[in-house]
């Protein structure tokens, strides 16, 4: 008689069952045949011990296999850095643990919109699940997937809820059977996603679907519960990180110009992508007396809320200096450097300020450790030759000469942050070459539209719009008519 086959967990075969003990008796005349009844009883106990030891080894091997599998899955989950990637990894790992093929996870963070992601389910499929009517009270998760999640246990437990045979289950709404038949699933297993700290609450739930009537074994349920416990904490951290980033993004945008000014003879466009770390890059476009215009871009060292606040103070100061002495960009940056040294001694900043007279098509530029502007026209695409200068706050006294530019009618100046170059992931010389190529390849029918120029350059330099960038990206385009 053979031992029953143990179930598989996460694709790892269980250990080989221990062989059954032999029933052969000792031969006649052997020392065992002459043993007394007490000796015979002791011998029987000794013969049984190897089998018991093998069973213990089997259990230990199973536990080691389960823990190894769980560790691998958790390590894979912790390598995810975005919420969407983490949710997909949770669904894939959970499906392997409970032996399902498809599933969905829904989150309802406090103060945020609900998030629902499916595995093997499209948007239309999720929409069908949302049509399942409320049969009892609203679920604790607040999810629209009511019937799948309404029987979950109270917060703080890892027990899942299984519907092993939806077709044959009594008291089930006909709409649920209809949706299950349409989507091709016959059973479901739901696990709550509960956060323990700082206040225990339910973040959401995960559900896995089976194509045929099925129910995960207790061993699989236990592993899925452990895994979902770790996964929930990771998801909570990613949600909090997203909230902090969103707050920093809003704060950053509120400290930048809400709209660009309209000055005769020049048209402006700007593109700004906040970095993942909440950097301190800024831009400005300030109307000045006598039809002039001041343009500025810059970056302050550091990241996070303190860097953004320092950026706001620096930009406000630059606007004041530009109004008073904007026709002399060197003086503007010199005053800004003195202020930075006195009020932000632990920080440095790069900055570029340009005094533009659109009627005369004349631009005077001074830069402090910042990237040179790029001139784009029908007959040239070249970087402006500016002198090498140190960032503000790096020297006891900053000073650098200004450069005068005379753009021809129809030419465009590009001002940008170094985050645009770093976003390419290439060495700086190659990043400059890529930016030059992007400007040179702007279609001729788009060269008189600053918005089209900005979109083309940004799309060419940073083709992957979904890729996470570390530093702020600023691109300010000034087109002279």
């Amino acid at each position: 008689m053979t031992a029953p086959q143990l179930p598989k967990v996460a694709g790892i075969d269980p250990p080989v069952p221990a062989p059954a003990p032999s029933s052969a008796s000792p031969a006649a005349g052997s020392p065992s045949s002459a043993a007394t009844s007490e000796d015979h009883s002791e011998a029987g106990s000794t013969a049984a011990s190897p089998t018991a030891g093998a069973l213990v080894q089997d259990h230990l091997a199973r536990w080691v296999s389960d823990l190894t599998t769980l560790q691998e899955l958790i390590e894979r989950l912790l390598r995810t850095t975005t919420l969407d990637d983490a949710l997909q990894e949770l669904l894939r790992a959970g499906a392997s643990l409970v032996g399902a093929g498809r599933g969905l996870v829904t989150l309802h963070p406090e103060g945020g919109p609900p998030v629902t992601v499916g595995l093997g389910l499209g948007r239309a499929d999720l929409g069908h699940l949302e049509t399942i009517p409320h049969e009892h009270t609203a679920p604790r998760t607040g999810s629209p997937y009511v019937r799948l999640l309404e029987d979950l246990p109270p917060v703080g437990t890892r027990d899942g809820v299984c519907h092993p045979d939806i077709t044959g289950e009594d008291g089930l709404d006909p709409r649920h059977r209809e949706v299950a038949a349409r989507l091709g699933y016959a059973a479901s297993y739901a696990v709550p996603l509960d956060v323990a700290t700082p206040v225990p609450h339910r973040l959401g739930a995960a559900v896995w679907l089976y194509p045929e009537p099925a129910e995960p074994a207790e061993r699989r349920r236990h592993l899925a519960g452990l895994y979902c416990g770790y996964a929930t904490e990771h998801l909570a951290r990613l949600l909090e990180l997203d909230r902090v980033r969103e707050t920093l993004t809003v704060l950053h945008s509120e400290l930048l110009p809400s709209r660009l000014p309209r000055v005769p003879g020049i048209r402006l466009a700007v593109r700004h992508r906040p970095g993942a770390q909440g950097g301190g890059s800024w831009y400005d476009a300030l109307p000045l007396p006598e039809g002039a215009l001041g343009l500025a871009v810059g970056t302050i060292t550091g990241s996070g809320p303190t860097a953004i606040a320092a950026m706001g103070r620096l930009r406000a100061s630059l606007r004041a200096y530009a109004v008073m002495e904007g026709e002399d960009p060197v003086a503007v940056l010199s005053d800004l450097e003195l202020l930075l040294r006195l009020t932000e001694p632990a920080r440095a900043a790069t900055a570029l300020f340009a005094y533009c007279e659109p009627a005369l098509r004349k631009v005077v530029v001074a830069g402090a450790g910042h990237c040179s502007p790029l001139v784009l026209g029908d007959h040239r695409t070249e970087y402006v030759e500016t002198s090498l200068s140190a960032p503000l706050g790096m020297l006891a006294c900053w000073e650098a000469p200004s450069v005068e530019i005379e753009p021809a009618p129809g030419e465009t100046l590009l001002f940008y942050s170094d985050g645009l170059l770093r976003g390419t992931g290439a060495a700086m010389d190659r990043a400059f070459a890529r930016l030059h190529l992007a400007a040179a390849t702007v279609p001729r029918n788009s060269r008189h539209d600053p918005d089209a120029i900005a979109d083309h350059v940004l799309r060419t330099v940073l083709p992957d719009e979904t890729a996470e960038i570390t530093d702020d990206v600023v691109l300010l385009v000034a087109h002279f008519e």
Side-chain angles (χ1 to χ4, degrees), residues 49 111 423:
S49 60

Side-chain angles (χ1 to χ4, degrees), residues 327-342:
E327 67 278 0
D328 185 358
V330 173
V332 172
L333 293 185
S334 296
D335 292 341
L336 192 66
E337 194 273 340
L338 178 60
L339 178 71
L340 182 68
R341 208 152 29 90
L342 295 176

Side-chain angles (χ1 to χ4, degrees), residues 202-260:
R202 179 147 296 164
L203 185 61
V207 186
W208 289 277
L209 308 175
Y210 300 85
E212 298 177 353
E215 183 175 1
E218 181 63 28
R219 179 186 176 195
R220 289 176 177 265
R221 292 191 184 198
H222 180 66
L223 284 176
L226 291 175
Y227 177 79
C228 288
Y230 286 104
T232 306
E233 299 297 333
H234 183 59
L235 294 176
R237 287 191 292 268
L238 291 178
L239 283 170
E240 181 63 25
L241 183 60
D242 285 347
R243 279 195 290 266
V244 171
R245 287 176 177 174
E246 184 178 354
T247 301
L248 291 179
T249 299
V250 172
L251 175 63
H252 199 166
S253 62
E254 289 296 324
L255 292 176
L256 296 176
S258 58
R259 62 183 180 86
L260 296 175

Side-chain angles (χ1 to χ4, degrees), residues 77-78 80 82-91 105-107 109 193 195 203-206 227-243:
L77 175 71
L78 295 180
T80 59
T82 65
L83 182 63
D84 187 65
D85 290 343
L87 292 175
Q88 291 292 342
E89 180 61 32
L90 165 63
L91 286 173
V105 58
T106 177
L107 302 181
L193 302 177
V195 179
L203 185 61
Y227 177 79
C228 288
Y230 286 104
T232 306
E233 299 297 333
H234 183 59
L235 294 176
R237 287 191 292 268
L238 291 178
L239 283 170
E240 181 63 25
L241 183 60
D242 285 347
R243 279 195 290 266

Side-chain angles (χ1 to χ4, degrees), residues 83-84 87-88 91 103-106 115-119 121 126 145:
L83 182 63
D84 187 65
L87 292 175
Q88 291 292 342
L91 286 173
L104 66 93
V105 58
T106 177
V115 179
T116 301
V117 175
L119 174 67
L121 297 171
L126 297 176
Y145 308 98

